[in-house]
Amino acid sequence: TKAAADRWKALPAEAKAPYEKKAAEEQAKYEENMMAFMKAGGRRGHRRVAKAMATGQPSTKERKVELSPSGKPKRPMTPYWLWWNANRMAMAQQLGATDAPSVAAHAGKVWSTMDPAERKPWEEQAAKQRAEHAVALAEWKRGKSGVENNEENVEKNENDCDEDR
C-alpha cells in the first residue's frame, strides 16, 4: 500500500481529477442516502447490533470482558488521569471545544505547567489508590491460586502418595 500511495502522490493533478471527481460524487450520494435513512428513523450501526443479537454473538465489549480474568482489580489511575477526569468539562469549556484531541492536548499543557503544590492532592489520591490496588490484587492472586483450598490439596496429595505405596 505504501508503493500505491507513492504512485498516487506522483500522479499529476490532471490524472487524479477523474478519480477525485468520482469520489466526491460517491461521497455526496452516500451522505444524501444517509440523511434520508436518518430522517426515516434509521440509526447508524443498528443493523450490525441487531445482527449480532439475532445470531447470539456477544458484542466486542462483552468479548473483552469474557477474555479478561474474572474479578481482577483494575489498575489505579495516575495523578494526571485523576485530575483530567475531574477537570475535563472545565477544560472543554475553557477551550471552547469538545473534540477530545484538542481538549486532551490543552489539558496536557496545563498539567505540565502546573505547580507541584497544585499536583500534590492528585498525587496523594493516586498513592492511596495504588496502595488499595496492591492489597486487592494480592487478595485476588491468593484466591486465584487456590490458597484457601490448600489444606484440601495437601490431604489429597498425601492420599495419592499413600496409594502409591
Side-chain angles (χ1 to χ4, degrees), residues 136-148:
L137 188 63
E139 288 177 13
W140 177 78
K141 284 181 178 180
R142 254 194 319 270
K144 183 180 172 194
S145 65
V147 171
E148 296 127 8

Side-chain angles (χ1 to χ4, degrees), residues 48-49 51-53 55-69:
R48 180 177 59 246
V49 172
K51 182 179 176 184
M53 289 176 65
T55 59
Q57 294 175 343
S59 69
T60 305
K61 189 172 187 178
E62 290 169 345
R63 276 183 271 163
K64 285 181 181 177
V65 169
E66 288 173 7
L67 295 175
S68 66

Side-chain angles (χ1 to χ4, degrees), residues 108-121:
K109 290 176 186 173
V110 171
W111 177 259
S112 65
T113 60
M114 193 180 288
D115 292 338
E118 290 178 292
R119 288 186 183 192
K120 188 172 173 97

Side-chain angles (χ1 to χ4, degrees), residues 24-44 47:
E25 290 171 358
E26 292 293 325
Q27 180 67 30
K29 183 179 172 184
Y30 169 79
E31 289 175 1
E32 182 181 315
N33 289 340
M34 185 55 76
M35 289 301 290
F37 175 72
M38 299 291 274
K39 284 182 182 176
R43 296 186 314 217
R44 286 186 177 174
R47 188 179 300 174

